Amino acid sequence: MTHAPTAPTVSSKSSRDSRDRREPGEVFGPGFSLFADVLLVGLLTTAACLPVVTAPAAFAAASTALRQTAVHGLPVRAGAYVAHLRAHMTARVLAAGCVPPLLALVLLIDAALLRNSLPGAAVMSPALALLTLGVMVVGLRATALEAPHRLSAREGFLRSVADPRGSLLLAGAVLLSLLLAWSIPLLAPLLSGPLAFAATVVGLRSTAD
């Protein structure tokens, strides 16, 4: 008795062919194109973060651009990134951009005090490091939110607590980025792109779940 080929086999083959198919003139395939988009976003985000107070808007624009690439397959363009950056550049976001440098100043002062062998320094040092890591995770979560929760620290905190696995993945991305910046300083201008991509993918993962 002969059996007709099943539909799942055909669909899986067609989906595999669609993933492997390249556009005319595309040399390295879609995976490498995404990698190049992330690096481009990293350079654009680092440049946009130079005024410091624009950092939240810069990461939010990076997340928006990378979400369009991941979901709709749209390539990243510098002009589109600038348009997203302008859309996020509101007075509230610029005011929120003053928070990271203030927190960094407080952390530097605390770290200087802990180096003076104050009582409890052995406990406060790791606690301060964990607090800093948690703030960075919540901040990245907040920049990767879509409307109507865009750039909401409260929503970023709630999603970080509700999705501990995603928060751990994002914390690992932050630690890896810090390690790369410390070991290979030349990579530092590119690392904001992978961080924004990690926050975006974690957000898409929690939405899918």
Side-chain angles (χ1 to χ4, degrees), residues 186-206:
L186 289 177
L187 292 180
L190 301 174
L191 295 178
S192 56
L195 278 177
F197 184 70
T200 304
V201 171
V202 166
L204 293 174
R205 169 187 170 276
S206 61

Side-chain angles (χ1 to χ4, degrees), residues 11-137:
S11 61
S12 62
K13 181 179 179 180
S14 60
S15 61
R16 185 170 59 252
D17 291 341
S18 63
R19 290 196 303 267
D20 296 337
R21 186 170 59 249
R22 301 178 182 178
E23 298 295 332
E26 188 175 5
V27 179
F28 297 103
F32 192 87
S33 298
L34 178 60
F35 175 72
D37 288 339
V38 171
L39 295 184
L40 174 60
V41 167
L43 289 175
L44 294 173
T45 303
T46 300
C49 287
L50 291 179
V52 181
V53 294
T54 57
F59 273 89
S63 178
T64 302
L66 290 173
R67 184 181 295 108
Q68 291 181 350
T69 298
V71 176
H72 305 292
L74 299 178
V76 174
R77 295 285 185 269
Y81 177 87
V82 173
H84 295 318
L85 181 63
R86 289 177 177 175
H88 289 90
M89 201 81 72
T90 62
R92 182 180 67 86
V93 174
L94 291 177
C98 298
V99 175
L102 291 177
L103 287 177
L105 179 61
V106 171
L107 290 173
L108 288 176
I109 294 174
D110 290 341
L113 292 175
L114 290 175
R115 283 197 299 268
N116 292 328
S117 301
L118 293 177
V123 177
M124 290 302 299
S125 295
L128 186 62
L130 289 176
L131 177 62
T132 304
L133 182 60
V135 169
M136 295 179 70
V137 169

Side-chain angles (χ1 to χ4, degrees), residues 132-133 136-137 140 169-179 195 198:
T132 304
L133 182 60
M136 295 179 70
V137 169
L140 286 172
L169 291 174
L170 194 51
V174 171
L175 291 175
L176 181 59
S177 297
L178 293 176
L179 178 61
L195 278 177

